[in-house]
Structure formats: C-alpha cells, structure tokens
Amino acid sequence: MRRFVCTMVSVAALALAGCNGSGSTSQDAQEGASSTQAAGNKVTGTVSVRGGGQPSSAAKLVVNLVDVSAQGAAPLASKTIEPATQFPVSFELDFNPAEVKADDLYVIKADLTDGDRHYSMPLQAPVLTKGASNQVSIQLVAEQTPAEKELADFQGLQKQIGGMKISNGSKLEKDVSRAWQVFRANNEVRFIREQADYGNKGFTSTDYAYKDGKPWVVVQQKKASQSAKPSSTVRAGWDDNGQLLLKQSEADGKTDVLGDDAAAALKQQAQTLYGLAGGKAK
C-alpha cells in the first residue's frame, strides 16, 4: 500500500512538472512572437556619402519607405534630417505592418540636397518583402550641379572646334588690339576665341560659346602679357532661358561667385563679338 501511494505521488509530481514546463514554453513563445512583432515594424539603416565628403550646413536629407509597386502611393514612413552635415548618419523608420503587402516591392529612398548639389542612390535598397532585410546600408553619390554640367558641356564643345570651319577677324581700337577666330558648324557660329592686347595694361584671352545665336558660356583669362600665366579666370554661363547658371571668379587659388554685373558685361561682349563675326545676335 505504501509503495502504491509513493508511486501515485511520483506521478502527480511528474504531471505537475509537465504542466509547469508547458506553461513556460507557452510564455516563451508569446515573448518570442512579441519580439518578432516589435522588430517587424521598423526599418533601420545608415546613409553615407561616397568619397567621405561632408555637405554644408544647408544640406537636407529625406529618407522614405516606399512601395514601388504602387505608383503614386504615399510613403509608409518618412524622416527628414536637417541640417545633414555629419555622415554616415543612422535612421529608423516606424511603419504599420498591416500596410505591407507580401507581393509588393518596398525600398528605402534617400534624397540629399545641398544648395544646387544633389546626391542620388546608384543602387536600390529593397526592404521587408521578397527576402529583403529590415536593415540597409545606403551610399549616396554627388551629381553634377547645373553649373558644373554647363561647364563640362562647354569643355566638350572646345574639343570639337578643330573640326569646324574657321575664319579670322581683327579690329584696332584706341587702347586695344583685338583678333579673333570664328568656328562654325553647319553655317552656324558655335565658338569664338578672342585675344585682346591692352599693351602695358595687360592681355585677355576669351572663349565664347553660343547656342542658337545666343551667348551660352564665356571663359575669360586675364594676363600681364600674352605669354604670361593667367592671373585670374572668370566663367559665366546661361541656360536656354537666359538664366545665369555658371558664375565663377578665380584668382590666387580661390574661387568666388561672379557678380551679376560682371556676368552681364561678359554677355554683352559675347553679343558684340558675335555681330562682328557676321552673326545676327538673338
């Protein structure tokens, strides 16, 4: 009888232990599910700038979580960092998991602007669905500013003038002797290179580029004499609507913004020379 009682006590103990073990497992599962849910409503990551450059205090970074499968849809989450001056920068986006569709494609889009400079993502950063992680590392690349693109296109035209039709002109004035070469493509004046000798007051070498008969880009170097190194260089360029985009003044190794009046004077010079070259300014 005693042996039977002991056996029953042992069975009861095992049953109790089993119940306690089952309760612990259920609690662990609930905690695990809660942890998974907490991790499933955030996207985190870092944004860096290729080359390690640091934007100015005017820089603004916008990070969006976007469903690219639904064109025009509002971002599921968004964050703005302003000013964005220290990179790499970390971000965290909270979103509603109920809004995520398993068959859609979601990406992080980071957009950095710093004045005229824009930084873009060369690679997509998918997240959430189709096996993608909730954590990303994004690298941004600086794009050309409108002024830089203007100057690069001008330099491209410079390399082509050797294949254009060339004519020459000159003009002697009271204080200056001028000579120029005119470069035409399809009977249109595209480029003029002028040299102006002011005697003991110096020498200027100026390249003028035109689009549709309008001044496009002007680059002028000032020197002590024709054979001397440039003491200063100014650059001005306008878009198709006549808006001044390129405005640089370089001297003593420093580059500053070219003033509007100085740019307007260069534009007037370009128009005058265009007329002397036989073109009709527009």
Side-chain angles (χ1 to χ4, degrees):
M1 184 67 177
R2 182 179 298 170
R3 183 180 301 172
F4 177 77
V5 171
C6 291
T7 303
M8 291 296 293
V9 170
S10 300
V11 170
L14 288 173
L16 181 60
C19 290
N20 288 339
S22 175
S24 176
T25 302
S26 175
Q27 182 178 356
D28 290 344
Q30 290 176 1
E31 290 177 353
S34 176
S35 175
T36 300
Q37 185 177 4
N41 63 2
K42 295 181 185 294
V43 173
T44 61
T46 59
V47 179
S48 60
V49 175
R50 182 177 294 178
Q54 298 296 336
S56 75
S57 58
K60 175 181 174 182
L61 174 66
V62 179
V63 183
N64 288 321
L65 171 59
V66 180
D67 181 356
V68 294
S69 302
Q71 293 185 357
L76 273 71
S78 181
K79 185 173 185 178
T80 299
I81 301 172
E82 187 177 11
T85 56
Q86 296 297 322
F87 285 81
V89 62
S90 299
F91 68 88
E92 182 178 287
L93 296 176
D94 296 320
F95 65 94
N96 181 1
E99 296 180 353
V100 177
K101 302 175 183 178
D103 293 333
D104 283 4
L105 176 63
Y106 296 86
V107 300
I108 294 296
K109 289 188 176 181
D111 186 79
L112 175 63
T113 54
D114 184 11
D116 291 336
R117 176 86 60 199
H118 181 257
Y119 296 78
S120 61
M121 294 173 55
L123 299 174
Q124 262 195 345
V127 290
L128 301 181
T129 59
K130 304 182 185 296
S133 171
N134 281 31
Q135 188 172 19
V136 293
S137 179
I138 295 171
Q139 190 175 69
L140 299 176
V141 177
E143 296 180 353
Q144 285 183 321
T145 65
E148 289 171 343
K149 187 177 186 306
E150 195 97 321
L151 185 58
D153 291 345
F154 166 79
Q155 292 168 342
L157 178 63
Q158 273 184 318
K159 296 176 181 178
Q160 300 173 18
I161 63 175
M164 297 182 185
K165 184 178 179 180
I166 305 174
S167 60
N168 300 286
S170 62
K171 185 178 182 181
L172 182 61
E173 300 174 355
K174 180 181 178 181
D175 298 319
V176 57
S177 175
R178 302 181 185 275
W180 58 82
Q181 287 182 308
V182 181
F183 300 84
R184 289 180 171 85
N186 299 321
N187 294 321
E188 180 183 355
V189 176
R190 295 297 314 281
F191 199 93
I192 299 177
R193 176 163 289 164
E194 180 199 43
Q195 295 183 331
D197 191 346
Y198 294 87
N200 59 7
K201 293 184 178 180
F203 186 93
T204 63
S205 175
T206 312
D207 286 346
Y208 304 89
Y210 302 86
K211 277 185 178 180
D212 300 324
K214 300 177 183 179
W216 170 39
V217 175
V218 178
V219 177
Q220 185 175 83
Q221 294 180 330
K222 291 187 177 181
K223 311 176 183 180
S225 64
Q226 183 174 359
S227 58
K229 293 182 179 180
S231 58
S232 66
T233 302
V234 293
R235 304 176 182 90
W238 302 265
D239 63 13
D240 294 341
N241 297 319
Q243 180 181 356
L244 183 64
L245 295 180
L246 176 62
K247 38 186 176 181
Q248 295 179 352
S249 176
E250 185 178 326
D252 300 324
K254 298 179 180 179
T255 302
D256 295 315
V257 177
L258 181 67
D260 291 343
D261 290 344
L266 290 174
K267 189 174 187 178
Q268 182 59 54
Q269 292 175 28
Q271 291 170 333
T272 299
L273 193 55
Y274 188 84
L276 290 174
K280 294 182 180 180
K282 297 181 181 180

